[in-house]
Amino acid sequence: MKFTDGRWMLRPGVQAFHPVEVLDVETGPGTLTVLATVVPLRDRGDLLKGPMVTLTLRAPAPDVIAVTVTHLTGRVRRRPALAVEEDPSAAARSYREGEWAVLDSGGLSARVRTAGGWRLEFRAGGRLLTASEAGAAAIVTTAASADHPEGAHYLREQLSLGVGTAVYGLGERFGPLVKNGQVVDIWNADGGTGSEQAYKNVPFCVTNAGYGVFVNDPGPVSFEVASEAVDRLQFSVPGQSLEYMVVHGPEPRDVLRNY
């Protein structure tokens, strides 16, 4: 789903709140919890100037890191749900390292910058795989409409795509194999072959850059693959919480095996 009008402006009726500064970090056994504000903190009064964004990082399996981005908690979980079999041998480790808070899972690391502007990186083998940069993650609201009399709420994330990075997957599709430049809405529909609708949608994609991304949500997931922002993989869901998993390879077949 497109929320912006070009690179800098939002579409009419859209508001977006981005994490800009880390307020607090808590490291636990195999978890990392980050509280981020949506305005720079100069004094206590700035804590009243917008919502708080909570990120919880954990490792459901080796070489896999799950990130949950939350605005409001307490939603009743409704079935169906995607079956995620967690591997007890994951043995993730969280710790502080200079200005970074880090979670390690196998050969994959996620780290959040705790001082300065917002940045969440995923690294493996001494190199950067992808990152959630300034203005990427967002709590998004839209104006009231016939379908949503009180407006709609979404959680959005954008992961950076390096030059030459190609994205594949997302289930049964009838367009080009490389998904760059496409809008893909994950929702099974009986639209027949040869259209943008598909019978077998899967919210999981693989890149040629050593990682894949799985969005753990059985509802409608909207992917903007180098389309709304040409250097980012964007995905969004309606509601107050979004969970996605970065799956390390390094080869595509390894990404699939870990998935």
Side-chain angles (χ1 to χ4, degrees):
M1 181 174 179
K2 295 184 183 295
F3 299 108
T4 59
D5 176 11
R7 189 68 176 187
W8 311 116
M9 299 177 64
L10 294 170
R11 294 195 169 198
V14 174
Q15 285 187 300
F17 302 91
H18 310 283
V20 299
E21 187 172 322
V22 170
L23 175 66
D24 191 23
V25 173
E26 180 179 344
T27 58
T31 63
L32 183 66
T33 302
V34 179
L35 299 180
T37 63
V38 297
V39 297
L41 293 178
R42 297 176 297 273
D43 55 56
R44 289 189 303 172
D46 290 328
L47 293 172
L48 304 175
K49 295 180 180 178
M52 189 77 67
V53 182
T54 303
L55 275 83
T56 304
L57 287 73
R58 60 188 181 87
D63 292 303
V64 179
I65 291 179
V67 180
T68 303
V69 186
T70 306
H71 174 209
L72 299 176
T73 62
R75 183 187 72 166
V76 176
R77 295 288 179 178
R78 293 185 174 88
R79 295 185 181 275
L82 301 175
V84 177
E85 296 185 10
E86 303 204 7
D87 186 344
S89 68
R93 183 171 69 101
S94 62
Y95 55 95
R96 300 289 292 267
E97 185 176 66
E99 66 173 8
W100 298 92
V102 186
L103 180 76
D104 290 338
S105 173
L108 177 65
S109 294
R111 63 179 196 171
V112 179
R113 185 161 57 195
T114 59
W118 173 258
R119 187 171 178 84
L120 165 62
E121 295 184 347
F122 297 90
R123 307 180 69 90
R127 70 184 185 92
L128 176 67
L129 299 179
T130 186
S132 174
E133 302 169 334
I139 301 166
V140 180
T141 62
T142 62
S145 64
D147 293 333
H148 302 282
E150 297 181 359
H153 301 263
Y154 300 88
L155 263 293
R156 184 198 77 183
E157 178 65 289
Q158 294 175 331
L159 297 179
S160 60
L161 292 173
V163 175
T165 299
V167 179
Y168 309 89
L170 301 176
E172 178 188 52
R173 309 245 65 88
F174 307 113
L177 178 64
V178 177
K179 299 301 179 284
N180 295 51
Q182 297 185 44
V183 178
V184 179
D185 291 323
I186 301 297
W187 189 254
N188 292 349
D190 187 5
T193 59
S195 76
E196 64 181 5
Q197 299 181 19
Y199 301 101
K200 304 168 187 175
N201 293 266
V202 181
F204 171 67
C205 60
V206 180
T207 73
N208 62 350
Y211 69 94
V213 178
F214 167 59
V215 179
N216 185 20
D217 194 306
V221 183
S222 183
F223 282 86
E224 298 278 346
V225 187
S227 49
E228 183 171 36
V230 299
D231 58 350
R232 292 180 177 180
L233 169 65
Q234 172 178 306
F235 40 92
S236 59
V237 298
Q240 304 287 351
S241 184
L242 163 68
E243 181 177 70
Y244 67 94
M245 302 183 189
V246 174
V247 184
H248 179 231
E251 298 299 325
R253 63 184 177 184
D254 302 317
V255 174
L256 288 172
R257 185 180 299 112
N258 288 333
Y259 167 68

